[in-house]
Amino acid sequence: TWTNARAAAQALGAGWDPASVGSAGENNAIIAQLPASPIDRSHFWIGASGAARVFTWVDGTPWSYTNWHGGEPNDAGGNETAVAYDFRSGLWAWNDAADDLKAAFPNNDFVVGYIAERPIPVPAALPLLVAGLAGLGIFARRRTA
């Protein structure tokens, strides 16, 4: 289930969650890691959830990029509250799906997995280092002028 996938991602350690996708570059990087020839309709959960075709990223990332399959999101199952990469017609793109995809399609043999990420924290001293280096550059220009 999407709920179990989120729990598994968070169990990896502090800061882990299902992946949010904020750009075409991130989308392409994720797709490059997915199986090249999976079983049709295989799904890999990502970190978007919601209801009535309105989704948000669980980690608070702004919702600014989408990669839906044509006609999606459609809430076809009536309670499609999660988002996954879905392989169909030879293409990985997003699908809104029921939290328990296997229960919704018990006779389907597709793969279900998840994609997790952990944001890389910026060290607290990094902004100070950048500001200090910028200040040195300005000071050096003034001395040589």
Side-chain angles (χ1 to χ4, degrees):
T1 68
W2 182 89
T3 301
N4 290 345
R6 184 165 194 211
Q10 291 176 328
L12 294 171
W16 284 92
D17 227 335
S20 58
V21 186
S23 69
E26 283 183 280
N27 182 66
N28 293 338
I30 290 170
I31 289 173
Q33 302 302 312
L34 294 174
S37 299
I39 297 169
D40 199 43
R41 298 309 307 264
S42 291
H43 280 65
F44 283 82
W45 298 118
I46 55 178
S49 68
R53 296 179 233 162
V54 177
F55 296 93
T56 59
W57 296 113
V58 295
D59 67 0
T61 296
W63 189 266
S64 60
Y65 172 82
T66 63
N67 182 42
W68 297 108
H69 271 293
E72 300 290 350
N74 60 13
D75 205 23
N79 194 25
E80 296 187 331
T81 59
V83 177
Y85 278 92
D86 171 14
F87 188 80
R88 63 176 103 146
S89 303
L91 177 71
W92 283 109
W94 300 356
N95 177 41
D96 60 328
D99 179 76
D100 191 346
L101 196 58
K102 289 288 192 174
F105 298 97
N107 297 323
N108 212 324
D109 195 26
F110 51 75
V111 175
V112 177
Y114 66 95
I115 302 157
E117 69 179 350
R118 179 179 58 91
I120 299 171
V122 175
L126 186 59
L128 293 173
L129 176 63
V130 170
L133 291 173
L136 285 174
I138 292 168
F139 179 73
R141 282 195 191 141
R142 287 186 181 158
R143 289 197 63 179
T144 58

